[in-house]
């Protein structure tokens, strides 16, 4: 079995999809892990003294065959999977985790890394090398490699406990979500709800052998209910039920668990020498420290608050006019927002779709990339694919040099997971003087063509395509030496800049003229539609901003302070939300105990990054707007300082080199109509 190594007998060394058989993977993984292990062993048993080259650099280039195999396998497991493949994934995942743990816990390896790290000032490293050294060292130290044996033991205890607590936290939220149902037997209580929602509720009731309709706290049931149901009392009932998940002093209560998670995270950070959990997390973020994040959020709050209050007054006035309601409660927000939106922007996706034929939109994205970054996309038909729907492109620069291979996989099918994402089959890096070019892919689930119509995209799908295409550009234009610093391997509050910034072109008449043409008449999308798209995109942005900021501040309040001072979760939450709440508090509700993003998932001290990324992309795009959205000079600065640089330097430094200054929130506030 020689197929699944690192070089393939294919054009451009692309993944040999047509030659791979499912039954080959298991053995290929075993062989490639053994190979990678041998490569690491060669570093640790090297009789020569550790150097940057023989240790740090060699480590970064090790495991190449395994990485290629993993990317092929796991990309397909997302885009073209089967039960058989999922079974293999379950078998190989623990082996891969064990292998990566073996590296982090490899003391001989760490000793060599540490020796090099301690000499770093004398080594004359360039910025990329210095970053690589720092990253390698931290991958050990942040996992406790520098600790004494008893502290290491405690760290492992904490990690085990945290993993269990996070799991239980999530399970409790899930259990509480399923423990509630709103059973409706009177048809008039359904007034306002869309047909599809009612139908699903009837089906659910039927499946439980009940009459009438059942609504639950699952989002596809809950969100339409609070958005559309005219019956205010029932909206209140289901909203309060949602707000008190895991806050009912029953066996699924999360109050104690939440506090324990926060305390263990604090202890862990302390053990590793950090002031708080946020300090630990933010060390590897563009924002760098809690003070920066807090001042970022508070500044946004200060600037967005007047607009949010104005919007809230507008929404209240609308509710008064419509239903005589003078004080909005939490269960009124989504409902009146939707009604007001319908009143103000009476247009829908169906009117826009004819202007967004997939082929045109894709070509538009290509043309924009050509104008900005000097690259051309040529569809080719001699590269192996994993499914006939996949399109393949050679990406060339103006001199005809290969920049990347680009795969695009647009339509839903069995075996593809939901959503849209960018990934790669081969990273970019420079090895022994050869600049290996990347193989990048975007995978989406867009409206497929029918017998009579081509694929016509909703506007949301158009921005999604540009978003993923932006990530793809980050991958394709990469130009770094080391694979682990290449392309999208950047801090995660920086990774959405290239993707989100590309979305901005979808709102610009000059860009839309390139691709938004009616699929039958060829007419360019009318300006009136463009205006409505823009306006509706910033509808009630002030209220939404305040909400996001309040969640970010809550996250920081828990993780950037000493949690041993928190006694009562609800009181702590209420105090934190002071100054960011527009709606009255609901005494029987508590958000912190079902805030799975930060307590069961990986977003702790990271919630701010949603807004952070928006500030970045708006600020970056405002530079284009100043100089022209197709200005080559600005685009080149973006390419040279951001898109090609990956994670080779601190993102703030890269950004400043592109923009000439740190990002400011004004462009976002302006775009969102808040100032
Ligand atoms: Zn993204």
């Amino acid at each position: 079995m020689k197929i699944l190594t690192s070089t393939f007998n294919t054009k451009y060394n692309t993944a040999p999809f047509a030659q791979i058989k499912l039954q080959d993977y298991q053995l290929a993984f075993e062989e490639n892990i053994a190979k990678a292990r041998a490569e690491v062993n060669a570093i640790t048993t090297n009789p020569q003294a550790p150097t940057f080259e023989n240790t740090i650099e060699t480590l970064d280039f090790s495991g190449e065959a395994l990485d290629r195999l993993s990317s092929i396998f796991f990309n397909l497991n997302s885009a073209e999977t089967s039960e058989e493949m999922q079974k293999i994934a379950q078998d190989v995942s623990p082996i891969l985790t064990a292998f990566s743990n073996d590296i982090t816990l490899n003391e001989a390896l760490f000793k060599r890394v540490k020796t090099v790290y301690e000499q770093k000032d004398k080594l004359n490293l360039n910025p990329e090398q210095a970053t690589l050294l720092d990253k390698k060292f931290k991958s050990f130290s942040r996992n406790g490699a520098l600790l004494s044996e008893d502290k290491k033991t405690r760290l492992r205890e904490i990690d085990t406990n945290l993993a269990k607590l996070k799991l239980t936290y999530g399970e409790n939220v899930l259990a509480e979500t399923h423990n509630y149902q709103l059973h409706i037997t009177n048809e008039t209580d359904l007034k306002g709800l869309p047909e599809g929602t009612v139908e699903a509720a009837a089906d659910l009731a039927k499946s439980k052998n009940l009459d009438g309709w059942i609504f639950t706290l699952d989002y596809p049931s809950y969100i339409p209910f609070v958005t559309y149901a005219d019956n205010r009392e029932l909206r209140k009932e289901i909203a309060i039920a949602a707000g008190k998940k895991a806050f009912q002093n029953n066996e699924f209560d999360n109050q104690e668990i939440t506090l324990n998670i926060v305390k263990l995270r604090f202890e862990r950070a302390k053990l590793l020498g950090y002031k708080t959990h946020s300090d630990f997390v933010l060390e590897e973020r563009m924002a760098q420290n809690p003070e920066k994040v807090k001042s970022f959020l508070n500044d946004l709050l200060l600037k967005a608050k007047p607009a949010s209050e104005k919007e809230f007054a507008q929404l209240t006035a609308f509710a008064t006019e419509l239903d005589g309601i003078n004080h909005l409660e939490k269960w009124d927000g989504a409902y009146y927002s939707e009604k007001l939106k319908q009143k103000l922007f009476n247009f829908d996706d169906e009117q826009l779709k004819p202007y967004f034929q997939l082929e045109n939109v894709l070509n538009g994205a290509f043309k924009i990339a050509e104008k900005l970054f000097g690259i051309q996309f040529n569809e080719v038909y001699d590269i192996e694919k994993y499914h006939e729907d996949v399109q393949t492109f050679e990406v060339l620069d103006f001199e005809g040099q290969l920049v990347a291979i680009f795969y695009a996989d647009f339509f839903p099918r069995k075996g593809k997971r939901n959503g849209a994402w960018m990934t790669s089959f081969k990273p970019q890096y420079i090895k022994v003087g050869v600049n290996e070019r990347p193989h990048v892919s975007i995978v989406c689930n867009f409206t497929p063509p029918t017998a009579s119509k081509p694929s016509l995209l909703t506007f949301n799908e158009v921005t999604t395509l540009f978003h993923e295409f932006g990530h793809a550009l980050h991958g394709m234009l990469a130009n770094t030496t080391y694979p682990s610093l290449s392309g999208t391997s950047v801090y995660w509050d920086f990774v959405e800049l290239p993707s989100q910034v590309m979305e901005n072109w979808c709102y610009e008449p000059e860009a839309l003229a390139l691709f938004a043409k009616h699929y039958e008449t060829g007419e360019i999308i009318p300006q009136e539609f463009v205006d409505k798209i823009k306006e509706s995109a910033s509808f009630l942005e002030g209220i939404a901003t305040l909400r996001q900021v309040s969640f970010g501040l809550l996250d920081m309040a828990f993780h950037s302070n000493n949690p041993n001072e928190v006694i009562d979760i609800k009181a702590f939450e209420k105090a934190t939300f002071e100054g960011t709440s527009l709606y009255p508090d609901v005494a029987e509700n508590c958000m912190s105990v079902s805030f799975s993003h930060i307590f069961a998932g990986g977003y702790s001290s990271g919630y701010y990054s949603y807004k952070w990324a928006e500030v970045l992309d708006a600020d970056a795009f405002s530079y284009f707007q100043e100089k022209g959205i197709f200005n080559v000079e600005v685009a080149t600065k973006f390419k040279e300082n951001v898109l090609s640089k990956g994670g080779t330097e601190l993102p703030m430094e890269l950004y400043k080199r592109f923009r000439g200054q740190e990002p400011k929130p004004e462009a976002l506030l302006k775009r969102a109509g808040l100032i």
Side-chain angles (χ1 to χ4, degrees), residues 467-468 471 495-496 499-500:
H467 181 102
E468 298 312 329
H471 282 308
V495 75
E496 296 299 330
S499 52
Q500 289 185 182

Side-chain angles (χ1 to χ4, degrees), residues 244-453:
K244 65 179 179 196
K245 278 184 290 190
F247 189 60
Q248 308 192 70
N249 294 312
N250 59 13
E251 57 178 314
F252 304 113
D253 194 285
N254 268 343
Q255 294 177 73
E256 189 81 38
I257 293 173
T258 307
L259 272 183
N260 284 338
I261 290 175
V262 181
K263 284 176 186 168
L264 284 174
R265 282 174 174 166
F266 181 70
E267 190 191 342
R268 189 184 196 279
K270 283 286 200 198
L271 207 59
L272 291 168
Y274 297 84
K275 221 172 107 201
T276 66
H277 178 66
S278 294
D279 289 272
F280 170 76
V281 171
L282 293 166
E283 181 186 56
E284 298 204 317
R285 300 283 193 268
M286 182 177 182
Q288 295 275 283
N289 59 58
E291 289 65 42
K292 185 107 188 170
V293 172
K294 282 188 268 190
S295 73
F296 166 77
L297 290 170
N298 283 319
D299 183 37
L300 216 51
L301 173 62
L302 194 72
K303 286 172 176 148
K305 203 163 182 192
S308 75
E309 282 164 350
K310 224 166 97 191
E311 288 168 7
F312 194 71
Q314 183 194 9
L315 200 60
T316 308
F318 178 66
T320 310
E321 180 197 318
L322 210 63
D323 294 324
I325 289 168
N326 297 320
H327 297 284
L328 292 182
E329 300 283 349
K330 277 190 179 140
W331 41 89
D332 297 320
Y335 180 78
Y336 289 107
S337 300
E338 181 59 30
K339 289 262 181 302
L340 182 59
K341 190 172 180 178
Q342 279 169 15
K343 186 186 158 194
L344 295 177
F345 314 103
N346 182 26
F347 85 127
D348 62 25
D349 266 336
E350 293 309 310
Q351 288 169 280
L352 296 178
K353 280 169 76 172
Y355 295 95
F356 297 120
Q357 184 179 340
L358 172 63
E359 290 78 5
N360 295 342
V361 178
L362 182 65
N363 279 327
F366 289 167
K367 257 185 235 164
I368 291 168
E370 181 177 335
K371 280 173 180 282
L372 294 173
F373 308 119
I375 50 174
Q376 282 172 319
F377 292 75
N378 304 321
E379 185 156 12
V380 290
Y381 303 91
D382 54 355
I383 289 173
E384 292 184 25
K385 309 168 176 194
Y386 56 87
H387 188 278
E388 57 177 7
D389 280 359
V390 177
Q391 289 176 268
T392 48
F393 301 85
E394 263 178 7
V395 186
L396 305 174
D397 65 17
F398 284 153
E399 274 110 54
Q401 294 284 330
L402 185 78
V403 172
I405 299 296
F406 179 62
Y407 298 84
D409 178 2
F410 288 123
F411 305 120
R413 60 174 174 264
K414 196 172 171 280
K416 191 195 271 193
R417 73 171 159 87
N418 289 329
W421 62 94
M422 165 270 185
T423 184
S424 75
F425 287 100
K426 178 177 177 282
Q428 177 276 335
Y429 53 86
I430 300 170
K431 198 174 172 185
V432 280
V434 180
N435 195 330
E436 293 280 345
R437 298 311 306 168
H439 302 169
V440 169
S441 169
I442 62 174
V443 187
C444 309
N445 281 282
F446 291 155
T447 312
T450 63
S452 61
K453 275 190 190 137

